[in-house]
Amino acid sequence: MAKRHTHTCPIAGVLNIFGDNWTWLVIREAFYGATRFSEIQRNTGIAKNVLSDRLDVLVNEGILAREDVGENGTRYAYRLTAKGESLHPVLLALHQWGNEHVYGPGNEPVLLLERATGKPLQPLAPTSRNGRRLTRADILTRPGPGASKATVRRLAEADASLA
Amino acid sequence: MAKRHTHTCPIAGVLNIFGDNWTWLVIREAFYGATRFSEIQRNTGIAKNVLSDRLDVLVNEGILAREDVGENGTRYAYRLTAKGESLHPVLLALHQWGNEHVYGPGNEPVLLLERATGKPLQPLAPTSRNGRRLTRADILTRPGPGASKATVRRLAEADASLA
DNA sequence: TCATTTGGTTTTAATTTGCAACCAATATAT
DNA sequence: ATATATTGGTTGCAAATTAAAACCAAATGA
Protein backbone atom coordinates (compact mmCIF):
# COMPACT_ATOMS: atom_id res chain seq x y z
CA MET A 1 0.00 0.00 0.00
CA ALA A 2 1.14 3.52 -0.65
CA LYS A 3 1.45 6.33 1.85
CA ARG A 4 -1.22 6.12 4.51
CA HIS A 5 -3.71 9.01 4.70
CA THR A 6 -3.80 10.54 8.15
CA HIS A 7 -6.18 13.46 7.76
CA THR A 8 -9.70 12.94 9.05
CA CYS A 9 -11.87 12.44 6.02
CA PRO A 10 -14.25 9.59 5.16
CA ILE A 11 -12.88 9.29 1.63
CA ALA A 12 -9.31 9.14 2.94
CA GLY A 13 -10.40 6.50 5.43
CA VAL A 14 -11.86 4.39 2.64
CA LEU A 15 -8.66 4.76 0.60
CA ASN A 16 -6.58 3.47 3.49
CA ILE A 17 -8.36 0.17 2.89
CA PHE A 18 -9.29 0.25 -0.80
CA GLY A 19 -6.77 2.67 -2.34
CA ASP A 20 -5.00 0.17 -4.53
CA ASN A 21 -5.55 -1.53 -7.83
CA TRP A 22 -6.99 -4.84 -6.61
CA THR A 23 -9.04 -4.68 -3.44
CA TRP A 24 -12.34 -3.79 -5.10
CA LEU A 25 -11.88 -6.75 -7.42
CA VAL A 26 -11.41 -9.00 -4.39
CA ILE A 27 -14.63 -7.56 -2.95
CA ARG A 28 -16.38 -8.17 -6.29
CA GLU A 29 -15.30 -11.79 -6.13
CA ALA A 30 -16.60 -12.07 -2.59
CA PHE A 31 -20.01 -10.77 -3.73
CA TYR A 32 -19.90 -13.23 -6.61
CA GLY A 33 -19.54 -16.01 -4.04
CA ALA A 34 -15.84 -16.77 -4.39
CA THR A 35 -14.35 -17.84 -1.06
CA ARG A 36 -11.08 -19.61 -1.71
CA PHE A 37 -7.67 -18.04 -2.20
CA SER A 38 -6.95 -19.61 -5.59
CA GLU A 39 -10.51 -18.96 -6.82
CA ILE A 40 -10.15 -15.26 -6.09
CA GLN A 41 -6.65 -15.29 -7.52
CA ARG A 42 -7.71 -16.95 -10.73
CA ASN A 43 -10.75 -14.71 -11.29
CA THR A 44 -8.86 -11.48 -10.70
CA GLY A 45 -5.37 -12.15 -12.03
CA ILE A 46 -3.77 -10.68 -8.91
CA ALA A 47 -0.25 -11.73 -7.83
CA LYS A 48 -0.33 -14.25 -4.97
CA ASN A 49 1.80 -12.21 -2.57
CA VAL A 50 -0.39 -9.16 -3.17
CA LEU A 51 -3.60 -11.19 -2.70
CA SER A 52 -2.29 -12.66 0.53
CA ASP A 53 -1.57 -9.17 1.76
CA ARG A 54 -4.95 -7.74 0.69
CA LEU A 55 -6.85 -10.60 2.31
CA ASP A 56 -4.94 -9.94 5.52
CA VAL A 57 -5.98 -6.30 5.41
CA LEU A 58 -9.63 -7.16 4.73
CA VAL A 59 -9.72 -9.70 7.54
CA ASN A 60 -8.02 -7.26 9.92
CA GLU A 61 -10.57 -4.61 8.96
CA GLY A 62 -13.41 -7.02 9.71
CA ILE A 63 -14.67 -6.92 6.11
CA LEU A 64 -13.93 -10.59 5.39
CA ALA A 65 -13.89 -13.44 7.86
CA ARG A 66 -11.30 -16.17 7.45
CA GLU A 67 -12.82 -19.55 8.14
CA ASP A 68 -10.81 -22.73 8.42
CA VAL A 69 -12.64 -25.21 6.21
CA GLY A 70 -10.32 -28.05 7.06
CA GLU A 71 -9.32 -28.98 10.56
CA ASN A 72 -6.36 -27.08 11.94
CA GLY A 73 -5.31 -26.95 8.37
CA THR A 74 -4.27 -24.67 5.61
CA ARG A 75 -7.59 -24.47 3.84
CA TYR A 76 -9.53 -21.30 4.33
CA ALA A 77 -12.72 -19.71 3.08
CA TYR A 78 -12.92 -15.95 3.05
CA ARG A 79 -16.48 -14.74 3.52
CA LEU A 80 -18.09 -11.33 3.73
CA THR A 81 -18.98 -10.14 7.20
CA ALA A 82 -21.90 -7.79 7.89
CA LYS A 83 -19.42 -4.93 7.49
CA GLY A 84 -18.37 -6.43 4.17
CA GLU A 85 -21.99 -6.80 3.06
CA SER A 86 -22.48 -3.10 3.78
CA LEU A 87 -20.15 -2.37 0.87
CA HIS A 88 -22.88 -3.48 -1.52
CA PRO A 89 -24.21 0.01 -2.38
CA VAL A 90 -20.66 1.24 -2.95
CA LEU A 91 -19.91 -1.67 -5.26
CA LEU A 92 -23.18 -1.08 -7.13
CA ALA A 93 -22.38 2.62 -7.56
CA LEU A 94 -18.92 1.78 -8.95
CA HIS A 95 -20.44 -0.89 -11.17
CA GLN A 96 -23.10 1.42 -12.58
CA TRP A 97 -20.59 4.19 -13.25
CA GLY A 98 -18.28 1.76 -14.98
CA ASN A 99 -21.07 0.41 -17.17
CA GLU A 100 -22.23 3.90 -18.17
CA HIS A 101 -18.98 5.80 -18.49
CA VAL A 102 -16.24 3.32 -19.17
CA TYR A 103 -18.13 1.02 -21.55
CA GLY A 104 -21.14 3.13 -22.47
CA PRO A 105 -24.82 2.28 -22.98
CA GLY A 106 -25.21 -0.75 -25.22
CA ASN A 107 -21.74 -2.02 -24.32
CA GLU A 108 -22.15 -2.95 -20.68
CA PRO A 109 -20.23 -6.12 -19.73
CA VAL A 110 -22.41 -6.91 -16.69
CA LEU A 111 -26.03 -5.79 -16.32
CA LEU A 112 -27.62 -5.15 -12.94
CA LEU A 113 -31.29 -6.15 -13.01
CA GLU A 114 -34.22 -6.16 -10.62
CA ARG A 115 -35.04 -9.82 -10.02
CA ALA A 116 -38.78 -9.16 -9.78
CA THR A 117 -39.14 -7.38 -13.12
CA GLY A 118 -36.00 -8.21 -15.08
CA LYS A 119 -35.55 -4.50 -15.72
CA PRO A 120 -32.26 -2.65 -15.26
CA LEU A 121 -31.60 -1.47 -11.74
CA GLN A 122 -32.21 2.24 -11.41
CA PRO A 123 -29.08 4.33 -10.92
CA LEU A 124 -28.22 4.76 -7.27
CA ALA A 125 -28.82 8.38 -6.38
CA PRO A 126 -29.30 10.45 -3.27
CA THR A 127 -32.97 10.74 -2.39
CA SER A 128 -34.92 12.74 0.12
CA ARG A 129 -37.02 11.14 2.82
CA ASN A 130 -40.11 11.62 0.68
CA GLY A 131 -38.49 9.83 -2.22
CA ARG A 132 -37.42 12.78 -4.37
CA ARG A 133 -34.13 12.57 -6.29
CA LEU A 134 -31.62 15.04 -4.91
CA THR A 135 -29.06 17.02 -6.88
CA ARG A 136 -25.62 18.18 -5.76
CA ALA A 137 -27.13 21.53 -4.79
CA ASP A 138 -29.60 19.83 -2.45
CA ILE A 139 -26.79 18.36 -0.34
CA LEU A 140 -24.63 20.08 2.23
CA THR A 141 -21.34 18.90 3.62
CA ARG A 142 -20.80 19.99 7.18
CA PRO A 143 -18.20 19.26 9.85
CA GLY A 144 -19.28 16.30 11.91
CA PRO A 145 -18.41 15.33 15.50
CA GLY A 146 -15.18 13.74 14.31
CA ALA A 147 -13.98 16.73 12.29
CA SER A 148 -10.48 18.05 12.80
CA LYS A 149 -9.69 21.78 12.67
CA ALA A 150 -8.28 21.27 9.20
CA THR A 151 -11.51 19.60 8.09
CA VAL A 152 -13.63 22.42 9.53
CA ARG A 153 -11.51 24.96 7.68
CA ARG A 154 -11.58 23.02 4.40
CA LEU A 155 -15.35 22.75 4.48
CA ALA A 156 -15.72 26.46 5.20
CA GLU A 157 -13.51 27.22 2.19
CA ALA A 158 -15.51 24.81 0.07
CA ASP A 159 -18.74 26.49 1.16
CA ALA A 160 -17.38 29.91 0.23
CA SER A 161 -16.02 28.68 -3.09
CA LEU A 162 -19.20 26.91 -4.20
CA ALA A 163 -21.64 29.61 -3.07
CA MET B 1 -0.52 3.17 -11.95
CA ALA B 2 -0.12 -0.51 -11.42
CA LYS B 3 -0.88 -3.28 -13.89
CA ARG B 4 -3.75 -2.36 -16.15
CA HIS B 5 -6.89 -4.53 -15.95
CA THR B 6 -7.81 -5.91 -19.33
CA HIS B 7 -10.76 -8.18 -18.59
CA THR B 8 -14.18 -6.75 -19.39
CA CYS B 9 -15.73 -5.76 -16.11
CA PRO B 10 -17.17 -2.42 -14.98
CA ILE B 11 -15.30 -2.54 -11.66
CA ALA B 12 -12.04 -3.27 -13.43
CA GLY B 13 -12.73 -0.40 -15.81
CA VAL B 14 -13.24 1.96 -12.89
CA LEU B 15 -10.00 0.77 -11.30
CA ASN B 16 -8.07 1.54 -14.47
CA ILE B 17 -8.84 5.17 -13.69
CA PHE B 18 -9.26 5.27 -9.91
CA GLY B 19 -7.25 2.28 -8.67
CA ASP B 20 -4.62 4.20 -6.80
CA ASN B 21 -4.27 5.95 -3.48
CA TRP B 22 -5.00 9.50 -4.54
CA THR B 23 -7.42 9.91 -7.42
CA TRP B 24 -10.59 9.83 -5.30
CA LEU B 25 -9.09 12.58 -3.13
CA VAL B 26 -8.48 14.67 -6.22
CA ILE B 27 -12.13 14.12 -7.20
CA ARG B 28 -13.20 15.08 -3.66
CA GLU B 29 -11.28 18.31 -4.02
CA ALA B 30 -12.94 18.99 -7.36
CA PHE B 31 -16.39 18.54 -5.78
CA TYR B 32 -15.28 20.87 -2.95
CA GLY B 33 -14.58 23.50 -5.59
CA ALA B 34 -10.79 23.31 -5.75
CA THR B 35 -9.53 24.03 -9.27
CA ARG B 36 -5.84 24.95 -9.09
CA PHE B 37 -2.91 22.56 -9.00
CA SER B 38 -1.39 23.82 -5.78
CA GLU B 39 -4.81 24.07 -4.11
CA ILE B 40 -5.49 20.39 -4.81
CA GLN B 41 -1.92 19.52 -3.88
CA ARG B 42 -2.10 21.34 -0.56
CA ASN B 43 -5.50 19.92 0.42
CA THR B 44 -4.59 16.33 -0.34
CA GLY B 45 -0.87 16.08 0.49
CA ILE B 46 -0.13 14.32 -2.79
CA ALA B 47 3.35 14.49 -4.35
CA LYS B 48 3.53 17.00 -7.22
CA ASN B 49 4.74 14.55 -9.85
CA VAL B 50 1.98 12.13 -8.92
CA LEU B 51 -0.68 14.88 -8.97
CA SER B 52 0.52 16.05 -12.38
CA ASP B 53 0.19 12.50 -13.65
CA ARG B 54 -3.28 11.94 -12.10
CA LEU B 55 -4.61 15.21 -13.48
CA ASP B 56 -3.38 14.16 -16.92
CA VAL B 57 -5.27 10.89 -16.61
CA LEU B 58 -8.46 12.62 -15.45
CA VAL B 59 -8.29 15.15 -18.26
CA ASN B 60 -7.59 12.40 -20.81
CA GLU B 61 -10.58 10.46 -19.49
CA GLY B 62 -12.78 13.52 -19.88
CA ILE B 63 -13.54 13.68 -16.17
CA LEU B 64 -11.82 17.02 -15.59
CA ALA B 65 -11.39 19.82 -18.09
CA ARG B 66 -8.18 21.82 -18.08
CA GLU B 67 -8.91 25.48 -18.64
CA ASP B 68 -6.20 28.05 -19.24
CA VAL B 69 -7.02 30.88 -16.82
CA GLY B 70 -4.19 33.10 -18.04
CA GLU B 71 -3.51 33.75 -21.68
CA ASN B 72 -1.38 31.13 -23.41
CA GLY B 73 0.12 30.73 -20.05
CA THR B 74 0.93 28.22 -17.37
CA ARG B 75 -2.05 28.84 -15.13
CA TYR B 76 -4.79 26.29 -15.30
CA ALA B 77 -8.07 25.53 -13.61
CA TYR B 78 -9.19 21.94 -13.50
CA ARG B 79 -12.97 21.66 -13.47
CA LEU B 80 -15.39 18.77 -13.41
CA THR B 81 -17.02 17.90 -16.71
CA ALA B 82 -20.50 16.36 -16.97
CA LYS B 83 -18.79 12.98 -16.85
CA GLY B 84 -16.96 14.08 -13.73
CA GLU B 85 -20.19 15.32 -12.16
CA SER B 86 -21.67 11.88 -12.75
CA LEU B 87 -19.23 10.53 -10.16
CA HIS B 88 -21.25 12.26 -7.44
CA PRO B 89 -23.30 9.21 -6.36
CA VAL B 90 -20.13 7.11 -6.23
CA LEU B 91 -18.37 9.69 -4.10
CA LEU B 92 -21.41 9.91 -1.80
CA ALA B 93 -21.50 6.13 -1.41
CA LEU B 94 -17.79 6.04 -0.52
CA HIS B 95 -18.28 8.99 1.84
CA GLN B 96 -21.22 7.37 3.64
CA TRP B 97 -19.43 4.07 4.00
CA GLY B 98 -16.37 5.82 5.37
CA ASN B 99 -18.42 7.77 7.89
CA GLU B 100 -20.25 4.69 9.09
CA HIS B 101 -17.58 2.03 9.02
CA VAL B 102 -14.24 3.73 9.27
CA TYR B 103 -15.16 6.39 11.85
CA GLY B 104 -18.48 5.09 13.19
CA PRO B 105 -21.70 6.84 14.19
CA GLY B 106 -21.01 9.82 16.41
CA ASN B 107 -17.50 10.18 15.01
CA GLU B 108 -18.13 11.25 11.44
CA PRO B 109 -15.63 13.85 10.19
CA VAL B 110 -17.93 15.19 7.46
CA LEU B 111 -21.72 15.02 7.58
CA LEU B 112 -23.87 14.85 4.46
CA LEU B 113 -27.11 16.75 5.02
CA GLU B 114 -30.25 17.51 3.03
CA ARG B 115 -30.21 21.27 2.48
CA ALA B 116 -33.98 21.57 2.76
CA THR B 117 -34.33 19.89 6.15
CA GLY B 118 -30.86 19.89 7.65
CA LYS B 119 -31.24 16.17 8.30
CA PRO B 120 -28.64 13.56 7.44
CA LEU B 121 -28.77 12.32 3.88
CA GLN B 122 -30.33 8.88 3.68
CA PRO B 123 -27.91 6.10 2.81
CA LEU B 124 -27.69 5.51 -0.90
CA ALA B 125 -29.30 2.17 -1.64
CA PRO B 126 -30.69 0.36 -4.62
CA THR B 127 -34.41 1.00 -5.00
CA SER B 128 -37.13 -0.42 -7.19
CA ARG B 129 -39.09 1.71 -9.62
CA ASN B 130 -41.88 1.99 -7.10
CA GLY B 131 -39.48 3.27 -4.48
CA ARG B 132 -38.92 0.12 -2.44
CA ARG B 133 -35.48 -0.55 -0.98
CA LEU B 134 -33.87 -3.55 -2.62
CA THR B 135 -31.64 -6.15 -0.97
CA ARG B 136 -28.80 -8.11 -2.55
CA ALA B 137 -31.19 -10.97 -3.22
CA ASP B 138 -33.44 -8.64 -5.23
CA ILE B 139 -30.66 -7.88 -7.72
CA LEU B 140 -29.36 -10.05 -10.52
CA THR B 141 -26.09 -9.71 -12.36
CA ARG B 142 -26.34 -10.86 -15.96
CA PRO B 143 -24.00 -10.72 -18.94
CA GLY B 144 -24.55 -7.54 -20.90
CA PRO B 145 -23.98 -6.78 -24.55
CA GLY B 146 -20.31 -6.06 -23.86
CA ALA B 147 -19.66 -9.29 -21.97
CA SER B 148 -16.69 -11.44 -22.91
CA LYS B 149 -16.87 -15.26 -22.85
CA ALA B 150 -14.93 -15.20 -19.60
CA THR B 151 -17.46 -12.79 -18.11
CA VAL B 152 -20.39 -14.96 -19.20
CA ARG B 153 -18.74 -18.00 -17.61
CA ARG B 154 -17.87 -16.17 -14.40
CA LEU B 155 -21.43 -14.92 -13.95
CA ALA B 156 -22.83 -18.41 -14.54
CA GLU B 157 -20.48 -19.75 -11.86
CA ALA B 158 -21.52 -16.95 -9.50
CA ASP B 159 -25.18 -17.77 -10.12
CA ALA B 160 -24.62 -21.41 -9.31
CA SER B 161 -22.56 -20.63 -6.25
CA LEU B 162 -25.03 -18.16 -4.77
CA ALA B 163 -28.20 -20.10 -5.53
C1' DT C 1 13.37 45.38 -12.68
C1' DC C 2 12.94 42.16 -9.16
C1' DA C 3 10.34 38.92 -6.43
C1' DT C 4 6.78 35.67 -6.17
C1' DT C 5 3.76 32.25 -7.90
C1' DT C 6 2.40 28.50 -10.81
C1' DG C 7 2.68 24.10 -12.74
C1' DG C 8 5.36 21.41 -13.50
C1' DT C 9 10.14 18.16 -14.49
C1' DT C 10 14.07 15.73 -12.93
C1' DT C 11 16.72 12.99 -9.90
C1' DT C 12 17.06 9.75 -6.48
C1' DA C 13 15.83 6.71 -2.73
C1' DA C 14 12.21 4.02 -0.86
C1' DT C 15 8.43 1.19 -1.49
C1' DT C 16 5.36 -1.69 -3.94
C1' DT C 17 4.26 -4.79 -7.51
C1' DG C 18 4.60 -8.96 -9.99
C1' DC C 19 6.76 -13.20 -11.43
C1' DA C 20 8.72 -17.57 -10.70
C1' DA C 21 10.50 -20.77 -7.70
C1' DC C 22 9.97 -22.82 -3.58
C1' DC C 23 7.74 -24.56 0.76
C1' DA C 24 4.94 -26.94 4.64
C1' DA C 25 0.85 -28.97 5.65
C1' DT C 26 -3.34 -31.15 4.30
C1' DA C 27 -6.19 -33.95 1.32
C1' DT C 28 -6.62 -37.38 -2.15
C1' DA C 29 -5.32 -41.33 -4.87
C1' DT C 30 -3.19 -45.64 -5.19
C1' DA D 1 1.36 -46.68 4.05
C1' DT D 2 3.11 -44.03 0.46
C1' DA D 3 3.01 -40.95 -3.39
C1' DT D 4 0.84 -37.19 -5.58
C1' DA D 5 -1.86 -33.14 -5.80
C1' DT D 6 -3.68 -29.14 -3.72
C1' DT D 7 -3.73 -25.11 -0.84
C1' DG D 8 -2.13 -20.94 0.82
C1' DG D 9 1.21 -19.02 1.13
C1' DT D 10 6.73 -17.05 1.38
C1' DT D 11 10.98 -15.67 -0.73
C1' DG D 12 14.11 -13.48 -3.87
C1' DC D 13 14.64 -10.39 -7.25
C1' DA D 14 13.75 -7.18 -11.16
C1' DA D 15 10.71 -3.73 -12.67
C1' DA D 16 7.57 -0.20 -11.76
C1' DT D 17 5.72 3.30 -8.97
C1' DT D 18 5.78 6.53 -5.32
C1' DA D 19 7.48 10.36 -2.78
C1' DA D 20 10.61 13.99 -1.56
C1' DA D 21 13.56 17.60 -2.71
C1' DA D 22 15.76 20.42 -5.89
C1' DC D 23 15.29 22.78 -9.89
C1' DC D 24 13.07 25.22 -13.85
C1' DA D 25 10.54 28.42 -17.31
C1' DA D 26 6.99 31.44 -17.79
C1' DA D 27 3.53 34.40 -15.97
C1' DT D 28 2.06 37.65 -12.58
C1' DG D 29 2.53 41.12 -9.07
C1' DA D 30 5.09 44.61 -6.45
Side-chain angles (χ1 to χ4, degrees):
Chain A
M1 192 66 74
K3 186 176 177 179
R4 197 168 177 83
H5 302 297
T6 54
H7 49 300
T8 52
C9 159
I11 308 296
V14 169
L15 289 171
N16 280 334
I17 305 170
F18 296 94
D20 72 298
N21 200 32
W22 295 100
T23 306
W24 282 114
L25 292 187
V26 173
I27 295 299
R28 177 199 73 196
E29 285 304 309
F31 275 97
Y32 279 174
T35 57
R36 307 297 290 266
F37 183 98
S38 52
E39 194 180 4
I40 298 168
Q41 204 250 316
R42 183 173 60 247
N43 291 327
T44 56
I46 192 173
K48 294 211 287 176
N49 51 322
V50 178
L51 178 55
S52 177
D53 177 72
R54 296 308 131 78
L55 289 173
D56 278 350
V57 169
L58 290 169
V59 169
N60 284 340
E61 291 292 335
I63 290 169
L64 293 178
R66 185 197 315 243
E67 175 193 340
D68 196 326
V69 294
E71 285 180 22
N72 300 326
T74 54
R75 274 121 180 83
Y76 301 109
Y78 292 90
R79 298 186 202 283
L80 287 161
T81 59
K83 183 174 174 179
E85 299 264 2
S86 71
L87 286 165
H88 193 222
V90 187
L91 194 69
L92 290 177
L94 291 166
H95 190 133
Q96 286 182 325
W97 195 87
N99 268 344
E100 177 82 9
H101 295 281
V102 174
Y103 290 93
N107 257 339
E108 303 93 337
V110 181
L111 297 178
L112 297 167
L113 307 176
E114 272 193 57
R115 187 183 293 275
T117 61
K119 291 182 172 178
L121 184 67
Q122 289 204 108
L124 266 73
T127 56
S128 68
R129 291 165 194 278
N130 62 12
R132 189 173 59 80
R133 285 289 179 109
L134 296 172
T135 69
R136 265 186 74 191
D138 296 320
I139 295 165
L140 298 176
T141 51
R142 285 291 179 270
S148 65
K149 286 189 193 331
T151 299
V152 173
R153 186 168 52 245
R154 184 72 197 97
L155 292 173
E157 285 170 12
D159 236 18
S161 131
L162 294 166
Chain B
M1 193 63 73
K3 184 176 179 179
R4 198 168 177 81
H5 302 298
T6 53
H7 50 300
T8 51
C9 158
I11 308 296
V14 169
L15 290 171
N16 281 333
I17 305 169
F18 296 94
D20 72 297
N21 201 35
W22 295 101
T23 306
W24 282 113
L25 292 187
V26 173
I27 295 298
R28 177 199 75 194
E29 284 305 308
F31 275 97
Y32 278 175
T35 57
R36 306 300 289 265
F37 183 99
S38 52
E39 195 179 4
I40 297 169
Q41 200 252 318
R42 184 173 58 247
N43 290 327
T44 56
I46 191 173
K48 295 214 285 176
N49 52 321
V50 178
L51 177 55
S52 177
D53 177 73
R54 296 307 130 79
L55 289 172
D56 278 351
V57 169
L58 290 170
V59 169
N60 285 341
E61 291 292 336
I63 289 168
L64 292 179
R66 187 197 314 243
E67 172 195 340
D68 196 327
V69 295
E71 287 183 19
N72 298 326
T74 55
R75 274 121 179 83
Y76 303 109
Y78 292 89
R79 300 186 201 282
L80 287 161
T81 59
K83 181 174 175 181
E85 300 265 1
S86 70
L87 286 165
H88 193 221
V90 187
L91 194 69
L92 290 176
L94 290 166
H95 191 131
Q96 287 181 325
W97 195 88
N99 268 344
E100 178 81 10
H101 295 281
V102 175
Y103 290 94
N107 257 338
E108 303 93 339
V110 181
L111 298 177
L112 296 168
L113 307 175
E114 272 193 56
R115 187 183 292 277
T117 61
K119 291 181 171 179
L121 184 68
Q122 290 204 108
L124 267 72
T127 57
S128 68
R129 290 166 195 278
N130 63 13
R132 187 172 60 81
R133 284 289 178 109
L134 297 172
T135 68
R136 269 184 72 190
D138 295 321
I139 296 165
L140 297 175
T141 53
R142 286 291 179 269
S148 64
K149 286 191 196 331
T151 299
V152 173
R153 184 167 55 243
R154 181 73 195 98
L155 291 172
E157 284 169 12
D159 237 16
S161 131
L162 295 165

